[in-house]
Amino acid sequence: MPSERAGVQVRPGVEGDLEALTAIYNHYVRETAITFDTAVFTSEERRPWLLSHPEDGPHRLMVATDAASQEILGYATSSPYRPKPAYATSVETSVYVAPDSRMGGAPGRRGTGTLLYDALFEALAAEDVHRAYAGIAQPNEASTRLHVRFGFRHVGTYHEVGRKFGRYWDVAWYEKRL
């Protein structure tokens, strides 16, 4: 169900969004340790990821757009937590906001991450999902604040679990009961 606030519209992602979503993700691949992918993707390489997030079910893709220009400002997903069947009622969530919709490194000036998570968790409320998990590469105060605001609690940290840009990074894990 689409929602709108403060000039931002949130709706399910569609195949026509793929190029813009890939560009947003590739920014984080190239410039940050927020994702541990180390090589950028083509839109075609990201197509299976997009198609694994239908409009219904526990694995969703929500996209925020500028209501006037329809420019994509960011996206949020819920994805399988692990592939084994017993994990089916758990999801891993994430939010990526376009770098040009941020001001000075602060959270999105329009509250884009908050709007995306509002829509994502509203959609998941009708699904058979028991827990949501989020792994946050450290340090990332903005992401930590967002997740805590949504009721996630810290459950542990994997120390030096990923290597990118010639150094090791910790990942703090958070969970939320749905």
Side-chain angles (χ1 to χ4, degrees), residues 87-153:
Y87 290 117
T89 60
S90 297
V91 295
E92 185 172 345
T93 62
S94 61
V95 174
Y96 289 89
V97 176
D100 55 356
S101 72
R102 298 167 65 88
M103 294 175 96
R109 67 178 180 262
R110 302 175 189 170
T112 304
T114 297
L115 290 172
L116 284 162
Y117 259 5
D118 277 339
L120 180 65
F121 289 119
E122 181 180 325
L124 292 178
E127 300 297 334
D128 183 22
V129 179
H130 182 63
R131 288 273 196 270
Y133 294 91
I136 304 172
Q138 298 297 298
N140 190 335
E141 290 179 31
S143 186
T144 297
R145 279 193 310 271
L146 175 69
H147 286 86
V148 168
R149 188 176 327 124
F150 273 89
F152 282 80
R153 66 179 186 86

Side-chain angles (χ1 to χ4, degrees), residues 1-12 62-71 73 110-112 114-120 122:
M1 163 193 268
S3 62
E4 186 172 341
R5 184 170 80 197
V8 178
Q9 217 174 17
V10 179
R11 58 166 173 75
M62 303 305 291
V63 173
T65 62
D66 181 284
S69 70
Q70 294 304 300
E71 173 190 2
L73 304 174
R110 302 175 189 170
T112 304
T114 297
L115 290 172
L116 284 162
Y117 259 5
D118 277 339
L120 180 65
E122 181 180 325

Side-chain angles (χ1 to χ4, degrees), residues 3-172:
S3 62
E4 186 172 341
R5 184 170 80 197
V8 178
Q9 217 174 17
V10 179
R11 58 166 173 75
V14 296
E15 201 158 346
D17 300 329
L18 184 58
E19 187 174 322
L21 297 176
T22 302
I24 291 170
Y25 189 72
N26 281 340
H27 163 78
Y28 290 96
V29 171
R30 281 189 314 273
E31 305 294 329
T32 77
I34 288 173
T35 175
F36 286 172
D37 278 317
T38 58
V40 297
F41 291 85
T42 66
S43 295
E44 197 56 39
E45 289 169 330
R46 288 285 282 176
R47 185 174 308 284
W49 164 83
L50 184 132
L51 296 176
S52 72
H53 294 89
E55 269 195 55
D56 58 1
H59 307 133
R60 303 286 183 107
L61 166 62
M62 303 305 291
V63 173
T65 62
D66 181 284
S69 70
Q70 294 304 300
E71 173 190 2
I72 293 180
L73 304 174
Y75 65 93
T77 61
S78 59
S79 300
Y81 174 67
R82 297 286 184 264
K84 296 180 180 176
Y87 290 117
T89 60
S90 297
V91 295
E92 185 172 345
T93 62
S94 61
V95 174
Y96 289 89
V97 176
D100 55 356
S101 72
R102 298 167 65 88
M103 294 175 96
R109 67 178 180 262
R110 302 175 189 170
T112 304
T114 297
L115 290 172
L116 284 162
Y117 259 5
D118 277 339
L120 180 65
F121 289 119
E122 181 180 325
L124 292 178
E127 300 297 334
D128 183 22
V129 179
H130 182 63
R131 288 273 196 270
Y133 294 91
I136 304 172
Q138 298 297 298
N140 190 335
E141 290 179 31
S143 186
T144 297
R145 279 193 310 271
L146 175 69
H147 286 86
V148 168
R149 188 176 327 124
F150 273 89
F152 282 80
R153 66 179 186 86
H154 182 254
V155 293
T157 299
Y158 294 169
H159 297 280
E160 297 182 350
V161 68
R163 186 170 65 186
K164 188 172 181 181
F165 304 135
R167 67 169 273 202
Y168 287 97
W169 300 88
D170 296 347
V171 175

